[in-house]
Amino acid sequence: TRTSVTVIGLGLMGRALAAAFLRAGHSTTVWNRTAGKADELVAEGARVAPTVGDAVEASPLTIICLTDYDAVRGLLGGDDADLTGATLVNLTSGTSAQAREAARWADLRGARYLDGAIMAVPPAIGTAEAVILHSGPRADFEAHEPVLGALGTVTHLGEDHGLASLYDAGGLVMMWSVLNGWLQGTALLRTAGVDAVTYAPFARQLAAGVADWLPGYAEQIDRNSYPAEVSALETDVRAMEHLIEESEAAGINTDLPKLLKATADRAIAAGHGGDQYPVLITQFTTPTP
Ligand code: NDP
Protein backbone atom coordinates (compact mmCIF):
# COMPACT_ATOMS: atom_id res chain seq x y z
CA THR A 1 0.00 0.00 0.00
CA ARG A 2 1.15 3.50 -0.80
CA THR A 3 2.18 5.32 2.35
CA SER A 4 3.84 8.64 2.85
CA VAL A 5 7.24 9.01 4.41
CA THR A 6 9.62 11.91 5.01
CA VAL A 7 13.40 11.83 4.76
CA ILE A 8 15.42 14.60 6.44
CA GLY A 9 19.07 14.74 5.40
CA LEU A 10 20.04 14.07 1.80
CA GLY A 11 23.71 13.23 2.03
CA LEU A 12 25.03 10.09 0.34
CA MET A 13 23.01 7.89 2.68
CA GLY A 14 19.85 10.03 2.95
CA ARG A 15 19.53 10.18 -0.85
CA ALA A 16 19.81 6.38 -1.04
CA LEU A 17 17.09 6.04 1.62
CA ALA A 18 14.72 8.43 -0.16
CA ALA A 19 15.36 6.75 -3.51
CA ALA A 20 14.50 3.33 -2.03
CA PHE A 21 11.20 4.67 -0.66
CA LEU A 22 10.36 6.12 -4.07
CA ARG A 23 11.20 2.83 -5.82
CA ALA A 24 8.91 1.02 -3.37
CA GLY A 25 6.11 3.37 -4.40
CA HIS A 26 5.86 5.43 -1.22
CA SER A 27 4.93 9.08 -1.48
CA THR A 28 8.17 10.68 -0.30
CA THR A 29 8.78 14.14 1.13
CA VAL A 30 12.36 15.32 1.56
CA TRP A 31 14.25 18.17 3.20
CA ASN A 32 17.94 19.02 3.20
CA ARG A 33 19.90 22.05 4.42
CA THR A 34 21.54 22.36 1.02
CA ALA A 35 18.42 22.32 -1.15
CA GLY A 36 20.15 21.32 -4.42
CA LYS A 37 20.75 17.78 -3.19
CA ALA A 38 17.02 17.08 -3.63
CA ASP A 39 17.03 17.72 -7.39
CA GLU A 40 17.54 14.15 -8.58
CA LEU A 41 14.97 12.82 -6.11
CA VAL A 42 12.43 15.41 -7.26
CA ALA A 43 12.94 14.16 -10.82
CA GLU A 44 12.08 10.68 -9.48
CA GLY A 45 8.88 11.94 -7.84
CA ALA A 46 9.87 13.27 -4.41
CA ARG A 47 8.29 16.39 -2.99
CA VAL A 48 10.48 18.99 -1.26
CA ALA A 49 9.15 20.48 1.96
CA PRO A 50 9.91 24.20 2.42
CA THR A 51 10.89 23.83 6.10
CA VAL A 52 11.91 21.04 8.46
CA GLY A 53 8.61 21.52 10.32
CA ASP A 54 6.63 21.06 7.11
CA ALA A 55 8.67 17.98 6.28
CA VAL A 56 7.84 16.34 9.63
CA GLU A 57 4.17 17.27 9.33
CA ALA A 58 3.88 15.85 5.81
CA SER A 59 4.10 12.17 6.83
CA PRO A 60 3.29 9.94 9.78
CA LEU A 61 6.89 8.64 9.60
CA THR A 62 10.05 10.75 9.39
CA ILE A 63 13.49 9.25 8.74
CA ILE A 64 16.46 11.34 9.84
CA CYS A 65 19.97 10.76 8.46
CA LEU A 66 22.45 13.54 9.24
CA THR A 67 26.17 13.67 10.00
CA ASP A 68 25.82 13.35 13.77
CA TYR A 69 23.47 13.76 16.73
CA ASP A 70 24.45 17.40 17.28
CA ALA A 71 23.09 18.17 13.83
CA VAL A 72 19.89 16.24 14.61
CA ARG A 73 19.39 18.07 17.88
CA GLY A 74 20.12 21.43 16.27
CA LEU A 75 17.53 20.77 13.61
CA LEU A 76 14.69 19.11 15.56
CA GLY A 77 15.45 19.30 19.28
CA GLY A 78 14.98 23.03 19.90
CA ASP A 79 12.72 24.09 22.78
CA ASP A 80 10.23 25.59 20.33
CA ALA A 81 9.98 22.42 18.21
CA ASP A 82 6.53 20.84 18.25
CA LEU A 83 6.73 17.29 16.98
CA THR A 84 3.33 16.19 18.30
CA GLY A 85 2.07 13.11 16.51
CA ALA A 86 5.27 12.49 14.57
CA THR A 87 7.22 9.25 14.60
CA LEU A 88 10.93 9.86 14.15
CA VAL A 89 13.33 7.10 13.07
CA ASN A 90 16.83 8.46 13.52
CA LEU A 91 19.33 6.51 11.40
CA THR A 92 22.21 8.88 12.14
CA SER A 93 25.31 7.08 13.50
CA GLY A 94 26.16 7.77 17.12
CA THR A 95 26.58 6.32 20.59
CA SER A 96 23.95 4.60 22.74
CA ALA A 97 24.02 7.55 25.17
CA GLN A 98 23.24 9.94 22.32
CA ALA A 99 20.39 7.69 21.20
CA ARG A 100 18.85 7.58 24.69
CA GLU A 101 19.19 11.34 25.03
CA ALA A 102 17.52 11.91 21.66
CA ALA A 103 14.66 9.67 22.78
CA ARG A 104 14.18 11.89 25.84
CA TRP A 105 14.01 15.18 23.96
CA ALA A 106 11.81 13.69 21.24
CA ASP A 107 9.41 12.51 23.94
CA LEU A 108 9.36 15.98 25.58
CA ARG A 109 8.44 17.48 22.20
CA GLY A 110 5.58 15.03 21.61
CA ALA A 111 7.19 12.62 19.14
CA ARG A 112 7.45 8.87 19.11
CA TYR A 113 11.07 7.87 18.62
CA LEU A 114 12.99 4.90 17.30
CA ASP A 115 16.72 4.90 17.02
CA GLY A 116 18.46 3.03 14.24
CA ALA A 117 21.81 2.09 12.78
CA ILE A 118 22.58 1.35 9.16
CA MET A 119 25.05 -1.48 8.57
CA ALA A 120 25.36 -1.00 4.83
CA VAL A 121 26.72 1.33 2.18
CA PRO A 122 24.35 3.53 0.14
CA PRO A 123 24.30 1.33 -3.02
CA ALA A 124 23.00 -1.62 -0.94
CA ILE A 125 20.02 0.34 0.42
CA GLY A 126 16.78 -1.13 -0.88
CA THR A 127 18.22 -4.67 -1.12
CA ALA A 128 18.07 -7.48 1.45
CA GLU A 129 21.83 -7.06 1.94
CA ALA A 130 21.30 -3.76 3.75
CA VAL A 131 20.94 -4.53 7.45
CA ILE A 132 19.17 -1.77 9.37
CA LEU A 133 18.87 -2.13 13.13
CA HIS A 134 16.16 -0.43 15.21
CA SER A 135 15.56 -0.03 18.92
CA GLY A 136 12.84 1.66 20.96
CA PRO A 137 9.15 0.90 21.53
CA ARG A 138 8.27 -2.31 19.68
CA ALA A 139 4.76 -1.10 18.84
CA ASP A 140 6.18 1.91 16.98
CA PHE A 141 8.54 -0.31 15.02
CA GLU A 142 5.75 -2.72 14.11
CA ALA A 143 3.45 0.12 13.05
CA HIS A 144 6.01 1.29 10.47
CA GLU A 145 7.78 -1.94 9.62
CA PRO A 146 6.07 -2.32 6.24
CA VAL A 147 7.42 1.08 5.13
CA LEU A 148 10.86 0.68 6.75
CA GLY A 149 11.15 -2.67 4.98
CA ALA A 150 11.68 -0.80 1.70
CA LEU A 151 15.18 0.06 2.96
CA GLY A 152 16.47 -3.47 3.42
CA THR A 153 16.50 -6.15 6.11
CA VAL A 154 15.06 -4.31 9.10
CA THR A 155 15.11 -5.71 12.61
CA HIS A 156 13.95 -4.60 16.05
CA LEU A 157 16.44 -5.34 18.83
CA GLY A 158 14.54 -4.27 21.93
CA GLU A 159 12.96 -1.37 23.80
CA ASP A 160 16.21 0.24 25.01
CA HIS A 161 16.90 3.05 22.53
CA GLY A 162 20.66 2.48 22.90
CA LEU A 163 20.63 -1.05 21.50
CA ALA A 164 20.92 -0.20 17.81
CA SER A 165 24.09 1.83 18.43
CA LEU A 166 25.53 -0.90 20.67
CA TYR A 167 24.90 -3.65 18.12
CA ASP A 168 26.39 -1.37 15.47
CA ALA A 169 29.54 -0.92 17.59
CA GLY A 170 29.64 -4.67 18.25
CA GLY A 171 29.40 -5.36 14.54
CA LEU A 172 32.10 -2.87 13.64
CA VAL A 173 34.61 -4.24 16.17
CA MET A 174 34.04 -7.73 14.74
CA MET A 175 34.49 -6.46 11.21
CA TRP A 176 37.70 -4.52 11.86
CA SER A 177 39.20 -7.24 14.04
CA VAL A 178 38.62 -9.93 11.42
CA LEU A 179 39.99 -7.65 8.70
CA ASN A 180 43.09 -6.74 10.72
CA GLY A 181 43.82 -10.40 11.47
CA TRP A 182 43.50 -11.14 7.77
CA LEU A 183 45.79 -8.22 6.87
CA GLN A 184 48.43 -9.44 9.35
CA GLY A 185 48.30 -12.91 7.78
CA THR A 186 48.45 -11.42 4.30
CA ALA A 187 51.53 -9.37 5.26
CA LEU A 188 53.20 -12.50 6.64
CA LEU A 189 52.45 -14.66 3.60
CA ARG A 190 53.59 -11.99 1.16
CA THR A 191 57.08 -12.18 2.66
CA ALA A 192 57.16 -15.74 1.27
CA GLY A 193 55.85 -14.66 -2.12
CA VAL A 194 52.22 -15.76 -1.53
CA ASP A 195 49.95 -13.04 -2.86
CA ALA A 196 46.78 -11.79 -1.17
CA VAL A 197 44.47 -13.51 -3.64
CA THR A 198 46.10 -16.88 -2.98
CA TYR A 199 45.87 -16.54 0.81
CA ALA A 200 42.31 -15.12 0.88
CA PRO A 201 40.35 -18.39 0.34
CA PHE A 202 42.31 -20.06 3.17
CA ALA A 203 41.66 -17.06 5.44
CA ARG A 204 37.99 -17.00 4.50
CA GLN A 205 37.50 -20.64 5.44
CA LEU A 206 39.32 -20.13 8.72
CA ALA A 207 37.21 -17.09 9.63
CA ALA A 208 34.04 -19.10 8.93
CA GLY A 209 35.32 -21.95 11.09
CA VAL A 210 36.06 -19.60 13.99
CA ALA A 211 32.60 -18.07 13.61
CA ASP A 212 31.17 -21.52 14.30
CA TRP A 213 32.83 -21.55 17.73
CA LEU A 214 30.93 -18.50 18.95
CA PRO A 215 27.70 -20.11 20.20
CA GLY A 216 29.55 -22.66 22.35
CA TYR A 217 32.01 -20.09 23.65
CA ALA A 218 29.10 -17.72 24.42
CA GLU A 219 27.57 -20.41 26.63
CA GLN A 220 30.83 -20.63 28.59
CA ILE A 221 30.78 -16.85 29.07
CA ASP A 222 27.14 -16.80 30.25
CA ARG A 223 27.87 -19.69 32.67
CA ASN A 224 31.14 -17.99 33.73
CA SER A 225 32.84 -21.39 33.46
CA TYR A 226 35.70 -22.07 31.04
CA PRO A 227 36.80 -25.68 31.09
CA ALA A 228 39.57 -26.29 28.51
CA GLU A 229 37.62 -28.68 26.30
CA VAL A 230 39.81 -28.26 23.21
CA SER A 231 42.73 -26.06 24.23
CA ALA A 232 44.06 -24.19 27.27
CA LEU A 233 44.90 -20.48 27.12
CA GLU A 234 48.58 -21.17 27.84
CA THR A 235 48.72 -23.31 24.67
CA ASP A 236 47.30 -20.38 22.70
CA VAL A 237 49.90 -18.04 24.19
CA ARG A 238 52.74 -20.24 22.96
CA ALA A 239 51.35 -19.90 19.43
CA MET A 240 51.10 -16.13 19.98
CA GLU A 241 54.82 -16.10 20.77
CA HIS A 242 55.49 -17.83 17.44
CA LEU A 243 53.33 -15.25 15.68
CA ILE A 244 55.36 -12.39 17.19
CA GLU A 245 58.61 -14.17 16.30
CA GLU A 246 57.49 -14.77 12.70
CA SER A 247 56.36 -11.17 12.32
CA GLU A 248 59.63 -9.78 13.72
CA ALA A 249 61.71 -12.10 11.54
CA ALA A 250 59.70 -11.09 8.49
CA GLY A 251 60.24 -7.40 9.27
CA ILE A 252 56.53 -6.63 9.44
CA ASN A 253 54.35 -4.84 12.01
CA THR A 254 53.96 -6.58 15.40
CA ASP A 255 51.31 -4.34 17.05
CA LEU A 256 48.44 -6.78 16.67
CA PRO A 257 50.34 -9.96 17.71
CA LYS A 258 51.70 -8.14 20.78
CA LEU A 259 48.27 -6.81 21.71
CA LEU A 260 46.83 -10.34 21.51
CA LYS A 261 49.59 -11.70 23.74
CA ALA A 262 49.44 -8.84 26.27
CA THR A 263 45.73 -9.49 26.82
CA ALA A 264 46.25 -13.25 27.24
CA ASP A 265 49.28 -12.71 29.52
CA ARG A 266 47.15 -10.66 31.91
CA ALA A 267 44.55 -13.42 32.11
CA ILE A 268 47.27 -15.99 32.76
CA ALA A 269 48.76 -13.77 35.48
CA ALA A 270 45.29 -13.74 37.03
CA GLY A 271 45.38 -17.54 37.16
CA HIS A 272 43.43 -18.45 33.99
CA GLY A 273 46.18 -20.26 32.05
CA GLY A 274 44.40 -23.59 32.29
CA ASP A 275 41.06 -22.21 31.14
CA GLN A 276 39.73 -21.99 27.60
CA TYR A 277 40.12 -18.91 25.38
CA PRO A 278 36.80 -17.15 26.12
CA VAL A 279 37.97 -16.64 29.72
CA LEU A 280 39.59 -13.54 28.16
CA ILE A 281 36.16 -11.90 28.52
CA THR A 282 37.48 -10.97 31.99
CA GLN A 283 39.99 -8.70 30.23
CA PHE A 284 37.34 -7.11 28.02
CA THR A 285 34.73 -6.37 30.70
CA THR A 286 37.16 -4.29 32.76
CA PRO A 287 38.88 -0.97 31.94
CA THR A 288 42.25 -1.07 30.18
CA PRO A 289 44.94 -1.32 32.87
P1 NDP B 1 27.04 13.00 4.18
O1 NDP B 1 28.21 13.79 4.66
O2 NDP B 1 26.98 12.63 2.75
O3 NDP B 1 25.69 13.80 4.52
C1 NDP B 1 25.52 14.47 5.74
C2 NDP B 1 24.12 15.07 5.80
O4 NDP B 1 23.94 15.74 7.05
C3 NDP B 1 23.86 16.12 4.72
O5 NDP B 1 22.51 16.01 4.33
C4 NDP B 1 24.11 17.41 5.46
O6 NDP B 1 23.44 18.52 4.91
C5 NDP B 1 23.49 17.07 6.79
N1 NDP B 1 23.92 17.94 7.88
C6 NDP B 1 25.12 17.91 8.54
N2 NDP B 1 25.15 18.85 9.50
C7 NDP B 1 23.95 19.48 9.46
C8 NDP B 1 23.37 20.54 10.22
N3 NDP B 1 24.05 21.13 11.21
N4 NDP B 1 22.12 20.91 9.93
C9 NDP B 1 21.43 20.31 8.93
N5 NDP B 1 21.92 19.31 8.16
C10 NDP B 1 23.17 18.89 8.44
O7 NDP B 1 26.97 11.73 5.12
P2 NDP B 1 26.21 10.32 4.83
O8 NDP B 1 24.91 10.59 4.17
O9 NDP B 1 27.17 9.38 4.21
O10 NDP B 1 25.98 9.82 6.33
C11 NDP B 1 24.86 10.23 7.09
C12 NDP B 1 24.78 9.33 8.31
O11 NDP B 1 24.63 7.98 7.88
C13 NDP B 1 26.04 9.40 9.19
O12 NDP B 1 25.68 9.37 10.54
C14 NDP B 1 26.77 8.15 8.76
O13 NDP B 1 27.63 7.68 9.80
C15 NDP B 1 25.61 7.19 8.51
N6 NDP B 1 26.03 6.06 7.66
C16 NDP B 1 26.61 6.28 6.44
C17 NDP B 1 27.10 5.23 5.69
C18 NDP B 1 27.74 5.45 4.35
O14 NDP B 1 28.29 4.47 3.81
N7 NDP B 1 27.67 6.63 3.76
C19 NDP B 1 27.02 3.85 6.20
C20 NDP B 1 26.32 3.71 7.46
C21 NDP B 1 25.89 4.80 8.16
P3 NDP B 1 24.13 19.37 3.72
O15 NDP B 1 23.86 18.58 2.47
O16 NDP B 1 23.42 20.68 3.76
O17 NDP B 1 25.60 19.47 4.05
Side-chain angles (χ1 to χ4, degrees), residues 2-100:
R2 199 176 149 84
T3 321
S4 68
V5 59
T6 288
V7 178
I8 292 179
L10 301 176
L12 286 169
M13 186 54 87
R15 291 203 296 279
L17 300 173
F21 285 131
L22 286 167
R23 282 199 303 275
H26 299 303
S27 160
T28 305
T29 299
V30 296
W31 184 89
N32 192 59
R33 180 179 60 182
T34 309
K37 291 189 187 171
D39 292 351
E40 243 175 72
L41 293 162
V42 168
E44 289 161 26
R47 172 187 163 267
V48 179
T51 67
V52 180
D54 290 323
V56 173
E57 257 177 49
S59 314
L61 176 65
T62 294
I63 311 297
I64 305 160
C65 190
L66 303 178
T67 304
D68 54 30
Y69 277 69
D70 286 343
V72 177
R73 184 169 195 148
L75 208 56
L76 290 158
D79 287 333
D80 54 337
D82 179 12
L83 303 172
T84 308
T87 296
L88 308 179
V89 176
N90 183 13
L91 299 182
T92 303
S93 301
T95 66
S96 57
Q98 289 176 318
R100 292 178 188 129

Side-chain angles (χ1 to χ4, degrees), residues 109-273:
R109 285 155 186 73
R112 297 174 178 281
Y113 182 86
L114 289 164
D115 203 86
I118 302 172
M119 302 189 72
V121 289
I125 299 298
T127 74
E129 232 178 88
V131 171
I132 305 179
L133 310 171
H134 299 81
S135 50
R138 175 172 287 280
D140 294 330
F141 173 76
E142 283 173 355
H144 298 285
E145 193 178 358
V147 180
L148 293 170
L151 301 179
T153 302
V154 295
T155 54
H156 180 257
L157 302 166
E159 303 270 326
D160 174 354
H161 285 96
L163 284 175
S165 292
L166 286 172
Y167 271 81
D168 189 31
L172 290 170
V173 70
M174 277 295 297
M175 181 183 84
W176 289 320
S177 299
V178 170
L179 288 174
N180 280 12
W182 169 67
L183 291 171
Q184 182 79 29
T186 299
L188 261 180
L189 269 298
R190 273 165 58 125
T191 65
V194 179
D195 59 18
V197 167
T198 304
Y199 170 63
F202 173 89
R204 184 188 186 284
Q205 201 169 7
L206 200 96
V210 171
D212 286 342
W213 302 350
L214 300 189
Y217 278 9
E219 279 176 27
Q220 289 200 333
I221 290 171
D222 287 346
R223 283 198 312 267
N224 195 27
S225 155
Y226 311 93
E229 286 153 357
V230 296
S231 161
L233 186 57
E234 47 202 14
T235 308
D236 285 291
V237 167
R238 278 193 289 276
M240 290 172 185
E241 279 159 15
H242 299 152
L243 171 63
I244 295 170
E245 219 176 288
E246 284 286 14
S247 300
E248 274 168 355
I252 68 167
N253 191 291
T254 56
D255 286 350
L256 179 59
K258 284 182 176 162
L259 173 66
L260 296 172
K261 183 165 179 295
T263 305
D265 281 344
R266 283 201 303 273
I268 289 177
H272 295 301

